Amino acid sequence: MGRDVRRNPDKPENTACNSSAGKHESTEGTWKAHGRHMEGTWKKSSVISTKGNLIMKFNNPRHALRWAYETINTPIIKISSVNAMRGPDGAGGVPEGELTPYDRHAQAALIVSLCERALPALHMAYIRVQFGREAGGFNLLARHLAANFGTGLHSRRGIEQIIRAYCGEKIGLREIRKCMACGTLKAAALRNGGYDALDLIHVQTMDILEREMHSRGLLRTADALERA
């Protein structure tokens, strides 16, 4: 019948501020989509001082991207209110050695900007859809998948459903088959072919970002990961 493997919606990856430690942490979680390349478990991110500047260090590019987009989508006022509740004087002061809300947003924007400079348009579209949940990336991804499907007319909505299912939305084969106006076996073949194409984009994207983020000191070293 074909595979129907996607992210486990019951195990979302969330990030949270640890009020006692004064550090931004990411709770352990597993992201699953089509099995091979989207699974990943991480522990904590850390704040490091580099040449007088505080920066967040991450375990891998996926960790950095999830943190960056979550930070960008969180209003500064909301982050500030958390700091105010835990500040030593109740006035919203940030403890020494911790990023301010403005620092967080600046680094998050830096990470997204790095992606825009380093990645081809197709791979950046994937980042926008997979991590940013932005509709603007669907156009390019849908055209790429349609080209991979070969000759014939393919429903744009059906292709978008395949992309959404890959990114973790609860979309079953029946819904994809209905949009594609085809049989179950054909729908399964199209979905699996789409997953394979997206897997390749994912691997290429993470490979590029691994090198770029490592060269800029955004990733934790192997020794630091072992000590965590």
Side-chain angles (χ1 to χ4, degrees):
M1 184 67 70
R3 297 165 292 181
D4 187 10
V5 185
R6 54 189 181 275
R7 185 191 67 163
N8 185 345
D10 296 323
K11 293 184 179 181
E13 294 171 356
N14 298 319
T15 53
C17 286
N18 184 323
S19 58
S20 60
K23 284 188 178 181
H24 186 280
E25 298 183 354
S26 58
T27 56
E28 291 191 3
T30 301
W31 176 272
K32 297 182 179 179
H34 200 39
R36 295 188 293 273
H37 306 301
M38 295 298 289
E39 293 185 359
T41 302
W42 52 82
K43 295 182 182 179
K44 298 177 180 179
S45 56
S46 55
V47 179
I48 305 294
S49 177
T50 305
K51 296 181 179 179
N53 298 319
L54 294 176
I55 64 168
M56 293 287 293
K57 290 265 191 174
F58 304 94
N59 295 347
N60 52 55
R62 287 171 296 172
H63 185 189
L65 288 165
R66 295 201 185 288
W67 178 85
Y69 276 104
E70 180 175 311
T71 299
I72 288 171
N73 291 324
T74 303
I76 289 179
I77 185 88
K78 185 175 181 180
I79 301 176
S80 299
S81 66
V82 174
N83 289 331
M85 287 188 291
R86 70 174 180 228
D89 56 3
V94 177
E96 184 179 355
E98 182 182 356
L99 292 174
T100 69
Y102 297 96
D103 292 333
R104 290 176 185 271
H105 272 256
Q107 185 170 344
L110 180 67
I111 290 172
V112 174
S113 177
L114 169 63
C115 294
E116 292 172 343
R117 292 195 308 271
L119 295 173
L122 176 64
H123 297 69
M124 190 61 214
Y126 172 76
I127 291 293
R128 290 193 174 104
V129 171
Q130 177 70 274
F131 297 94
R133 295 298 187 258
E134 298 176 11
F138 278 107
N139 244 356
L140 200 51
L141 285 178
R143 289 203 302 269
H144 178 76
L145 261 61
N148 274 270
F149 290 160
T151 58
L153 295 176
H154 303 292
S155 163
R156 160 61 192 264
R157 176 167 169 75
I159 295 175
E160 186 173 312
Q161 295 287 64
I162 291 173
I163 297 171
R164 290 182 182 277
Y166 183 90
C167 292
E169 291 193 27
K170 294 181 179 180
I171 297 173
L173 185 60
R174 180 181 299 179
E175 188 171 354
I176 294 173
R177 180 183 64 80
K178 184 177 179 181
C179 289
M180 289 293 196
C182 62
T184 301
L185 291 179
K186 177 65 173 178
L190 290 172
R191 181 196 60 190
N192 293 338
Y195 282 8
D196 288 341
L198 291 168
D199 270 347
L200 181 59
I201 293 172
H202 175 84
V203 171
Q204 293 170 342
T205 300
M206 294 303 115
D207 184 56
I208 294 171
L209 293 181
E210 180 87 28
R211 295 193 300 269
E212 293 290 334
M213 291 184 179
H214 179 75
S215 68
R216 288 164 174 76
L218 292 171
L219 301 182
R220 300 169 75 185
T221 64
D223 290 341
L225 289 173
E226 290 176 2
R227 291 195 300 268

